[in-house]
Amino acid sequence: MLLDRILVPLDGSPAAEAILPLLHRLLRARGSEVVFHRSVSLLAAGLGVYPASGLDADRLLRELEGEATEYLSRIAAQVVPTGARARWVVKVGTPAESILTVAKNEGATLVTMATHGRSGLTRWILGSVSEKVLRASPVPLLLVRSFHRSETGEDRPAAHEAIRIRRLMVPVDLSELSLGLAPAVTDLAEAFGARIEVLHVREEPGHDQGDARHVLADAVREFQTRGEPVVPLLRHGDPAGAILETCRERSIDLVAMTTHGRSGLARWTIGSVTDKVLRTSGLPMLVVRETGEEEAAVAGAWVAKEPLP
């Protein structure tokens, strides 16, 4: 189940903690286990490279681990409701690699993160850590923005305490993979008491109307079998643009998408439509990756070899 064990990476910043109000409501709705995680390193702490500096590296790392443990225990006491299960893991290493390793070792069923990326001139840019986790993790990710662009064009901290997840948008296409996230979406919809809206975008030309309605019918049947009411929607045009426009029209609170990326030489490539929606939408997103054995092997190689900041 999606919400059985939720991994929450934090780095001590207010931007990363933007995920906590949403997590708190999620834990109140569902009796999940939550694992808080923080990675530590001398480089990240601004202490540079050793041993040339003459610092006692082992002692400093122990101090950093102690501070991280105290921080996570304090966060857990503030966020986790009475009766919920919570623990924390501190690991020495670079952030993205540590998150992926802890997710695997702890058997996480969901990773929740606030992206540190701010809006660019025309689109959102994901933070480097969250983007690397997104590209390599076989575990579903729930992402929220740490910042939003105000009407004056300024980047301001997002008020996530005001988020209410009432409508979930699930874009589906002609592939069998696009409904692979149905179990995860159902779990999330149940936890928030949200309504599911399924969207299929019919591109012109060369896209058969009958195929489009068949896709929607299959999606509706899939969710109804799971006991969830569904609103089917059909749009025309560019998929990413139509998804974003429909989200605005329908006051969607969260978008759930399956990535159709395939493995490259050294790292994942996110499917183009999902990538555009991720980078342009300011909405929370649930991203579920569908992988085969070959793709998973390449993702594992990326975790081991890709240089991380």
Side-chain angles (χ1 to χ4, degrees):
M1 303 288 283
L2 178 73
L3 304 178
D4 284 351
R5 184 168 295 139
I6 304 172
L7 177 64
V8 186
L10 298 170
D11 60 11
S13 69
E17 292 173 9
I19 191 65
L20 296 179
L22 195 64
L23 173 70
H24 184 68
R25 289 195 294 276
L26 194 61
L27 292 175
R28 284 194 177 278
R30 182 70 170 269
S32 306
E33 179 180 21
V34 59
V35 180
F36 293 99
H37 166 58
R38 185 171 180 178
S39 64
V40 297
S41 70
L42 295 182
L43 186 61
L47 297 176
V49 180
Y50 61 88
S53 61
L55 298 175
D56 185 338
D58 290 338
R59 179 181 62 81
L60 289 171
L61 281 175
R62 287 195 300 271
E63 291 178 359
L64 290 173
E65 289 178 288
E67 292 172 1
T69 299
E70 181 180 353
Y71 165 73
L72 294 179
S73 64
R74 184 172 68 252
I75 290 294
Q78 295 172 354
V79 175
V80 178
T82 302
R85 296 167 295 163
R87 51 195 178 87
W88 42 89
V89 176
V90 176
K91 182 175 176 58
V92 176
T94 51
E97 185 178 27
S98 294
I99 293 167
L100 293 165
T101 300
V102 172
K104 179 180 179 180
N105 292 345
E106 297 296 326
T109 55
L110 175 69
V111 178
T112 63
M113 297 180 67
T115 67
H116 288 215
R118 298 173 180 241
S119 54
L121 293 176
T122 59
R123 67 180 191 175
W124 287 95
I125 298 176
L126 293 173
S128 61
V129 173
S130 57
E131 187 159 6
K132 287 174 180 175
V133 174
L134 174 66
R135 291 184 184 276
S137 174
V139 179
L141 268 70
L142 179 60
L143 300 170
V144 301
R145 305 291 183 181
S146 298
F147 295 84
H148 72 89
R149 172 152 287 190
S150 68
E151 294 180 358
T152 61
E154 298 176 322
D155 287 328
R156 295 179 178 175
H160 290 290
E161 67 277 3
I163 291 179
R164 294 293 180 268
I165 307 299
R166 295 159 296 190
R167 294 184 177 183
L168 305 182
M169 171 70 74
V170 184
V172 295
D173 59 22
L174 293 176
S175 75
E176 295 181 358
L177 292 179
S178 61
L179 274 178
L181 48 56
V185 171
T186 300
D187 282 353
L188 210 57
E190 289 179 351
F192 285 117
R195 182 176 69 183
I196 298 172
E197 301 196 7
V198 177
L199 170 67
H200 178 67
V201 180
R202 187 165 74 93
E203 297 181 79
E204 299 282 7
H207 192 150
D208 184 75
Q209 180 78 15
D211 287 342
R213 298 198 179 279
H214 179 72
V215 168
L216 279 175
D218 285 348
V220 169
R221 186 162 45 250
E222 175 70 25
F223 285 109
Q224 287 180 339
T225 299
R226 298 176 180 277
E228 292 297 318
V230 183
V231 176
L233 301 169
L234 179 62
R235 296 289 186 269
H236 304 80
D238 170 69
I243 290 169
L244 294 166
E245 181 61 29
T246 305
C247 286
R248 288 189 290 268
E249 291 176 356
R250 305 286 300 177
S251 298
I252 296 300
D253 300 306
L254 182 146
V255 182
M257 299 186 71
T258 300
T259 62
H260 290 200
R262 292 295 183 264
S263 55
L265 292 178
R267 59 186 287 172
W268 289 98
T269 300
I270 300 175
S272 60
V273 174
T274 303
D275 189 58
K276 289 178 182 177
V277 175
L278 272 166
R279 293 180 181 277
T280 308
S281 171
L283 294 173
M285 288 193 67
L286 173 69
V287 183
V288 179
R289 179 177 299 284
E290 291 290 338
T291 64
E293 293 182 1
E294 180 181 354
E295 289 83 0
V298 174
W302 180 88
V303 173
K305 299 176 182 179
E306 181 78 1
L308 302 174

